[in-house]
Amino acid sequence: MKSWRWCGVLVWVALMWLVILPQPVAAADVTVPANLPEGFDMPTISASGSQFRTQPNWYTHGYIVSVANTGVHALVPEDASLTLENEPAIDAYGAPVGDQYYYAIVHNGGTVPMKASFHKGLDYFGEGAEIHTKMQVGDGPVKVTGGKLGDNPSIGITGNFGAVWIGEEYDYIDYLLTFQTVTMPTWFRYQIDIITNETHATFHSQLFPVLVIPDDWAPPLSTPRRVLFGGQSTALDIAGLDQTLQPEYVWQASPPSAVLSGNSLTITNEPAVVGAVQVYATFTVPAHPMWGTSMTYIGPPLELYLARLKNLAVNFRRDAHFSVALSAGLMVQRFAWRFNGADQTGDAQALRLSEVTEGGTVHWQASLRNLSGEVIEAAADATLQVLYPDALMLLKVPDLIFMHEVGGAFQSPTVQELIAGQFAGRAALSQIPGEGSSWLTAAGGELVVADGRTNPDSPWQLRVMVGHFQSSKAPFTSQAEIRLLLTDDKEVVNVSAPIVAGQASFVTLASRPDGANREYVYDVQAVLALGAISNPLAGEYSATVNWELAAVPTPRV
């Protein structure tokens, strides 16, 4: 036995720190869209020498006139290599060299000078042209502006200081784009169309995309499901964020299973654990000449709750106890339990099913409240498997009440109808007859056979015998002949041979040569034929039905 003693040793106590860094999932990224949304036109390739010599950009030098200029500033080919300090290289037509000049990133309410130039070939050199513009905000409709200059202040297209006139030296286009306020990063797309005045030839430019970023944006995460039970999944994303914009998902602790699809994250509670995890999103705007250095926006944390409702396997006619395990901080406000679709009485997080004889699905649904007062909906399913004993069992048999259909309603036969022999069952039978039939019919119900044998491959048979009909006053004197119709899970109808009430012999109803299923369910219906009776007594007559289920010996070869 060990003992601890004071030895007069001076002991220094120091603190040890462990820093746990958040775990990121997917790096933030911006992809400039290259698709052609509906409403825009395919950019035009050069036709008869006419073409967009300078595609829409925000830094064209050649063939541009600004408000401060009184003439045309045109770079001639020999000046094409001219570059100023911190300015891009310029091609032979005054266009900047570099992809970053053919899209832009700006703040809410920002402006961008969109510039282009169009060269008319000899076929169109002697005629003027109109400039039309197309504009789209996010996934909204494409708005087209016509007229000579294509400007439209109502949607932020202004300041066209040039036009396409007769001749070549005035083929400049210069717009000032102003961007409406957005609440999340949004792509604006623009396209320029040139339409000649006389021949009406049309030329379409490349699209010019601009990403507008709202000020002080905090990327909000959303998900349709905050409580994840074992095996359940949910999609985590920034609602409405364009697929070209990839946020980064950062976990404060070890995340559950996470799979990235586009810019959405699919979370699965697998393997099933109980607890709570927090995640937040960041979004980084990359460095861009129109924007400046890169900038990262950080969103508020979102808490996800992990829970468990286990599947159960219990022995036949034993109790099944289901329990819901929730993470700390969640309180049940309202709840409901169901088993195979039927309401059950249970506690907020527990349900007992007594002496179960059949398997199925247990469903739990609840409104929860967390420590912040948020109301969160949750639901889960669990499977109940019944382990049958090593035997064949007949779990359920139906009661049969015979009536006949009159005017869409069912009623009992009358004394006069029995005297007339109206229900002698003269018609052939392959299914339950309808109104006007010579048979009495019974809707019946379910018949359930369970096969829990160790070797379920040997076939079994189901047989039935019916006793005499009798009432408290007298026996039923007429011959009663019954046919049973059993519809199995494959919609196959088994029609029995005639069963004569009161005869001491069994009639085989169904024989299953396989044991592929552990439980067999039949929908039972029946018809009854009665011979004419000279003096029947009114009353309620009943007969005892004996069911017999037995294995069939396998034939020896």
Side-chain angles (χ1 to χ4, degrees), residues 105-110 135-139 178-190 210-218 240-241 245 291 297:
I105 304 177
V106 298
H107 290 277
N108 256 345
M135 187 274 287
Q136 182 187 41
V137 180
D139 294 326
T178 304
F179 301 94
Q180 65 187 56
T181 299
V182 295
T183 57
M184 68 182 335
T186 303
W187 284 107
F188 287 63
R189 294 173 175 87
Y190 294 85
V210 179
L211 180 60
V212 180
I213 307 292
D215 296 326
D216 301 322
W217 182 55
L241 190 66
L245 308 177
W291 172 267
Y297 295 84

Side-chain angles (χ1 to χ4, degrees), residues 235-393:
L236 189 69
D237 59 16
I238 300 171
L241 190 66
D242 193 270
Q243 287 294 312
T244 61
L245 308 177
Q246 176 65 63
E248 183 176 26
Y249 299 96
V250 184
W251 297 89
Q252 299 287 48
S254 297
S257 171
V259 177
L260 191 66
S261 177
N263 60 7
S264 175
L265 198 63
T266 299
I267 308 299
T268 305
N269 186 3
E270 195 174 65
V273 296
V274 178
V277 291
Q278 281 193 342
V279 58
Y280 63 91
T282 68
F283 180 75
T284 300
V285 180
H288 185 274
M290 282 288 292
W291 172 267
T293 58
S294 65
M295 181 181 297
T296 298
Y297 295 84
I298 301 176
L302 178 69
E303 193 160 31
L304 300 178
Y305 303 95
L306 308 177
R308 184 168 53 227
L309 176 60
K310 289 184 177 180
N311 298 328
L312 290 182
V314 298
N315 289 328
F316 179 70
R317 294 198 183 281
R318 294 294 179 90
D319 293 352
H321 297 269
F322 289 89
S323 63
V324 174
L326 297 173
S327 58
L330 286 179
M331 296 166 287
V332 179
Q333 301 291 297
R334 294 182 300 276
F335 68 93
W337 288 97
R338 292 185 181 86
F339 177 55
N340 288 343
D343 292 338
Q344 303 293 320
T345 300
D347 296 328
Q349 292 178 236
L351 173 68
R352 185 185 75 173
L353 298 175
S354 301
E355 298 184 353
V356 294
T357 59
E358 62 177 348
T361 301
V362 168
H363 179 77
W364 179 81
Q365 189 165 344
S367 295
L368 311 176
R369 186 180 297 274
N370 63 13
L371 296 178
S372 300
E374 294 178 284
V375 176
I376 302 169
E377 300 300 320
D381 291 328
T383 299
L384 172 62
Q385 179 186 4
V386 174
L387 304 176
Y388 299 115
D390 189 3
L392 281 169
M393 292 173 292

Side-chain angles (χ1 to χ4, degrees), residues 130-199:
E130 291 185 356
I131 306 176
H132 293 183
T133 53
K134 303 189 190 80
M135 187 274 287
Q136 182 187 41
V137 180
D139 294 326
V142 176
K143 297 181 179 179
V144 181
T145 300
K148 281 193 173 184
L149 300 180
D151 50 0
N152 186 347
S154 67
I155 58 175
I157 305 176
T158 59
N160 184 0
F161 306 128
V164 182
W165 301 101
I166 298 173
E168 181 181 355
E169 62 272 20
Y170 292 101
D171 60 352
Y172 57 85
I173 305 166
D174 188 355
Y175 289 101
L176 183 66
L177 305 181
T178 304
F179 301 94
Q180 65 187 56
T181 299
V182 295
T183 57
M184 68 182 335
T186 303
W187 284 107
F188 287 63
R189 294 173 175 87
Y190 294 85
Q191 186 175 39
I192 299 172
D193 294 342
I194 303 296
I195 304 173
T196 60
N197 287 341
E198 298 175 15
T199 56

Side-chain angles (χ1 to χ4, degrees), residues 51-55 57 59-66 69 71-80 90-96 114-120 125 131 160-165 167-175:
Q51 60 183 315
F52 276 91
R53 179 164 48 194
T54 301
Q55 292 291 342
N57 64 87
Y59 202 97
T60 291
H61 269 195
Y63 306 97
I64 296 299
V65 172
S66 67
N69 293 336
V72 178
H73 173 66
L75 289 178
V76 294
E78 55 264 27
D79 294 331
I90 302 299
D91 70 11
Y93 300 107
M114 182 175 67
K115 306 169 183 292
S117 65
F118 181 79
H119 171 70
K120 293 194 301 293
F125 193 79
I131 306 176
N160 184 0
F161 306 128
V164 182
W165 301 101
E168 181 181 355
E169 62 272 20
Y170 292 101
D171 60 352
Y172 57 85
I173 305 166
D174 188 355
Y175 289 101

Side-chain angles (χ1 to χ4, degrees), residues 9 25 77 104 118 201 216 228 286 324 332 343 358 362-363 399 415 482-483 492 502 505 536:
V9 178
V25 177
F118 181 79
D216 301 322
L228 291 179
V324 174
V332 179
D343 292 338
E358 62 177 348
V362 168
H363 179 77
D399 291 326
V415 169
I482 302 165
R483 302 273 185 99
V492 176
S505 61

Side-chain angles (χ1 to χ4, degrees), residues 520-539:
Y520 303 85
V521 179
Y522 292 90
D523 179 50
V524 179
Q525 297 171 299
V527 295
L528 172 65
L530 299 173
I533 307 174
S534 59
N535 189 24
L537 294 177

